[in-house]
Amino acid sequence: MSRSATGLPARRGRAGRRVAGTAAVALAGAAALHAAPAVLALAGPRRMFAPALAGTGRGDHVALTFDDGPDPVSTPKVLQLLADRGVTATFFLVGANVARHPRLAAEIAAAGHELAVHGLQHKLLLRYPPRRVADHLARAHDLVATAAGTAPRFFRPPYGVLSSAAWAAAHRLGMRTVLWTAWGRDWTARATGSSVYRTVAADLRGGGTILLHDTASATAAPESWRATLAAVPTILDLCHDAGWKVGPLHEHGLVDPR
């Protein structure tokens, strides 16, 4: 009797397909788990389900944060404005920019501001496998720590899109992931000082975290930081009139994530 008549090849074929199917399901599940936190980039789900991740703090305080620097043209102008107003903030720095401008990064810290990590490059972390994400964040962490003279406490993923691998890597490095409750959409070509102010004000409440940009990333409109610079004084006036103290994240009294 031939082997084919016994049915063994057919059974082996079915078993192989079951194994392949199980592997495909496992891979799809792993990919879904990796990407699941990305939904929290949307403001509604974030505020509803993850207020700690959104950066909700004390009701009498507003955290002011800037992403994507440092840049030798725009960052010093933002620093001067904040110095004139007697305000300190948290700067989420891109590691590659810190490597290019280490002295400027150190100057941000020397001015009393808090340095935090915004990735090694301004790229979507969902594109990378967990090991590469961990390597990127470790390198960015070390660059920022060297500039600040102390280990960074906070991490914000580029574009606000978080993966489980990025969250875990940041946690292992002792960093808490924080996004925002209000932003200015200040990276767009149509942004103006007035539009940035209105966009922030629409969502800002006591205990909120504001996202602005002290420079333009590769995906932002050139010179878009000028709209931010024009909006910051009016945003600070709004907070003052509401009785909210403005400062960095480490003074914000962030809610317990557990």
Side-chain angles (χ1 to χ4, degrees):
M1 182 181 294
S2 68
R3 285 175 55 85
S4 59
T6 67
L8 289 176
R11 288 197 293 272
R12 288 173 182 170
R14 287 194 294 271
R17 287 193 293 272
R18 284 197 297 271
V19 170
T22 301
V25 170
L27 288 172
L33 181 63
H34 177 61
V39 70
L40 297 174
L42 302 174
R46 183 168 67 249
R47 286 195 295 264
M48 182 176 297
F49 300 112
L53 180 65
T56 303
R58 300 195 323 267
D60 63 346
H61 190 271
V62 165
L64 180 61
T65 71
F66 294 90
D67 282 9
D68 295 358
D71 178 87
V73 174
S74 55
T75 300
K77 293 178 172 60
V78 174
L79 293 177
Q80 185 61 58
L81 172 58
L82 296 178
D84 292 344
R85 296 295 296 254
V87 171
T88 54
T90 298
F91 285 75
F92 283 91
L93 304 183
V94 174
N97 292 342
V98 176
R100 282 191 289 267
H101 310 292
R103 183 175 298 179
L104 178 55
E107 288 174 2
I108 299 172
H113 302 289
E114 178 176 44
L115 303 191
V117 172
H118 196 40
L120 183 63
Q121 298 171 320
H122 198 277
K123 294 184 177 180
L124 193 66
L125 293 178
L126 282 176
R127 297 171 53 188
Y128 302 120
R131 184 174 295 180
R132 188 170 180 186
V133 169
D135 176 65
H136 276 208
L137 292 195
R139 291 162 64 191
H141 174 278
D142 291 348
L143 286 163
V144 172
T146 298
T150 186
R153 299 169 57 181
F154 299 104
F155 163 67
R156 176 178 289 157
Y159 305 103
V161 177
L162 184 64
S163 67
S164 57
W167 180 89
H171 182 73
R172 286 194 299 270
L173 291 165
M175 297 188 295
R176 176 170 176 173
T177 302
V178 178
L179 300 182
W180 61 87
T181 65
W183 64 0
R185 295 188 64 82
D186 53 344
W187 65 90
T188 66
R190 299 179 64 181
T192 65
S194 295
S195 74
V196 173
Y197 168 78
R198 291 193 303 270
T199 305
V200 169
D203 289 325
L204 188 60
R205 306 290 184 273
T209 292
I210 300 172
L211 162 63
L212 296 171
H213 296 79
D214 64 306
T215 185
S217 71
T219 58
E223 305 282 305
S224 58
W225 56 268
R226 295 186 184 277
T228 307
L229 202 65
V232 168
T234 54
I235 293 170
L236 295 178
D237 289 343
L238 168 66
C239 293
H240 179 271
D241 293 344
W244 303 326
K245 179 176 173 55
V246 178
L249 280 168
H250 75 265
E251 296 177 355
H252 194 40
L254 290 169
V255 298
D256 192 324
R258 288 171 295 180

